[in-house]
Amino acid sequence: TKMAACSRIGRGGHSMDKSITLPADEIFRNLENAKRFAIDIGGSLTKLAYYSTVQHKVAKVRSFDHSVKETEDDPLYEISVQEEITARLHFIKFENAYIETCLDFVKDHLVNTDTKVIKATGGGAYKFKDLIEKKLKLKVDKEDEMSCLIKGCNFVLKNIPHEAFVYVRHADSEFRFQNTHPDIFPYLLINIGSGVSIVKVESEDQFERIGGSSIGGGTFWGLGALLTKTKRFDELLQLASRGQHASVDMLVKDIYGGAYGTLGLTGDLIASSFGKSATADKGEFVEPGLGTVVPVLGARSRLVRPNL
């Protein structure tokens, strides 16, 4: 997960979209038409991106100029159906434990690609280099992880609208998505992987890691495996989404009976993560407990506030 906090994020205006939930996508869709691949292998998960082409039929309408009509039977318009090829980007994630199985699947369905190279980044680009080259018969071209991250974030913020957003708690529309703007620097990039890195980005090629945390996605996965009977990352995410963190987190209203107006704290603000867990019913702890880990990760990312 990457979060960019732009210092000039409000200049481009915003839309009032309702959610940041991604649409469901079929796993390895259009793989047979894949042209290029890139892979990022972290400490826990592997992320695969590929570019493919899709062929589909498009109806096109052509209207005629009837300022001078020759006969009553002259058509007003003409509809034709044409084949059109468009490009698509696909993104897939899976646990590192399944990397060999996934590479076998990709190899068996990779029939129309002319590429001979796969771009790779992350620690696993070194660890699994020989395996990837053996399975896919492609040369692994390793790239620096942080440089790729910064270049990609710069491109998205400058060119892709509604990728950055402001979160407004308790608003009618909580997510206010931003339009693009050429002047994005400086900004903070919070990279939540197995651990967390906080990077100050000052220009296209000037950035500095200014902090981080060992409490990251690996923490969520590890605690989830200890609290539940599953070790599957996707299953833990589903459990967390159903959990009610207020069952185990101590809120401001649990201490003061409501909001603490003097300090501007709302009643539903978390005062102590897992603060109720000592007295909670252990049988009802699991899903709420997982729901608590995610806010903890977000809180850790806000501890560093450099002067931008």
Side-chain angles (χ1 to χ4, degrees):
T1 302
K2 281 80 177 175
M3 296 190 297
C6 292
S7 61
R8 297 175 178 82
I9 200 166
R11 289 189 179 181
H14 63 264
S15 69
M16 300 299 285
D17 297 87
K18 296 291 185 182
S19 173
I20 58 172
T21 303
L22 294 175
D25 195 9
E26 182 182 345
I27 298 298
F28 291 120
R29 186 180 181 188
N30 302 319
L31 183 61
E32 67 276 6
N33 295 319
K35 306 297 181 184
R36 289 188 179 181
F37 284 88
I39 194 168
D40 173 30
I41 309 174
S44 307
L45 299 175
T46 294
K47 286 75 69 179
L48 177 68
Y50 63 94
Y51 155 81
S52 71
T53 55
V54 180
Q55 187 171 354
H56 54 91
K57 293 182 178 181
V58 177
K60 295 191 174 182
V61 179
R62 182 167 68 101
S63 59
F64 297 98
D65 180 11
H66 288 283
S67 56
V68 180
K69 277 189 91 171
E70 295 184 2
T71 68
E72 290 294 329
D73 295 329
D74 285 348
L76 296 175
Y77 56 87
E78 178 182 85
I79 300 177
S80 61
V81 178
Q82 302 177 10
E83 293 286 344
E84 191 173 272
I85 296 178
T86 57
R88 296 244 178 112
L89 278 175
H90 304 270
F91 303 93
I92 301 166
K93 73 175 186 302
F94 49 86
E95 299 172 18
N96 288 355
Y98 301 107
I99 187 170
E100 192 163 352
T101 302
C102 289
L103 290 176
D104 283 334
F105 185 89
V106 171
K107 178 191 66 176
D108 293 341
H109 293 78
L110 203 60
V111 294
N112 293 326
T113 182
D114 296 325
T115 186
K116 303 299 180 185
V117 174
I118 181 170
K119 295 286 187 178
T121 189
Y126 299 87
K127 183 177 180 180
F128 296 106
K129 173 181 178 295
D130 293 339
L131 177 65
I132 296 171
E133 291 185 339
K134 177 183 177 182
K135 291 287 186 181
L136 299 185
K137 308 300 181 186
L138 300 175
K139 181 180 181 298
V140 173
D141 187 3
K142 297 185 292 293
E143 298 285 350
D144 179 72
E145 180 177 3
M146 194 56 65
S147 296
C148 290
L149 181 60
I150 300 301
K151 289 179 181 177
C153 196
N154 290 345
F155 175 83
V156 166
L157 291 175
K158 286 185 174 183
N159 297 280
I160 312 297
H162 300 181
E163 284 296 317
F165 62 88
V166 173
Y167 176 73
V168 184
R169 202 157 172 260
H170 300 309
D172 290 337
S173 180
E174 293 184 323
F175 302 102
R176 299 185 177 181
F177 290 82
Q178 308 296 300
N179 292 323
T180 57
H181 195 280
D183 186 14
I184 62 173
F185 305 110
Y187 67 85
L188 281 182
L189 177 63
I190 301 171
N191 182 24
I192 304 178
S194 297
V196 177
S197 287
I198 303 175
V199 183
K200 180 181 179 181
V201 184
E202 301 189 72
S203 68
E204 291 288 349
D205 53 9
Q206 185 179 359
F207 54 88
E208 176 188 6
R209 187 182 187 275
I210 58 174
S213 171
S214 61
I215 299 178
T219 310
F220 166 79
W221 199 348
L223 284 175
L226 292 172
L227 290 169
T228 72
K229 296 180 180 180
T230 181
K231 295 185 183 294
R232 296 293 303 277
F233 185 77
D234 287 339
E235 290 180 12
L236 290 173
L237 288 179
Q238 292 175 5
L239 287 172
S241 69
R242 298 202 300 264
Q244 297 295 327
H245 73 91
S247 299
V248 292
D249 285 341
M250 186 174 294
L251 308 182
V252 168
K253 64 184 178 182
D254 296 321
I255 301 174
Y256 294 99
Y260 188 1
T262 304
L263 295 180
L265 303 178
T266 59
D268 59 354
L269 193 66
I270 298 174
S272 175
S273 297
F274 293 101
K276 295 179 185 174
S277 59
T279 57
D281 185 338
K282 297 301 185 291
E284 300 177 355
F285 176 77
V286 174
E287 289 183 4
L290 287 174
T292 293
V293 179
V294 178
V296 169
L297 300 185
R300 294 286 294 188
S301 71
R302 292 193 294 271
L303 291 179
V304 179
R305 293 178 180 269
N307 182 13
L308 293 177

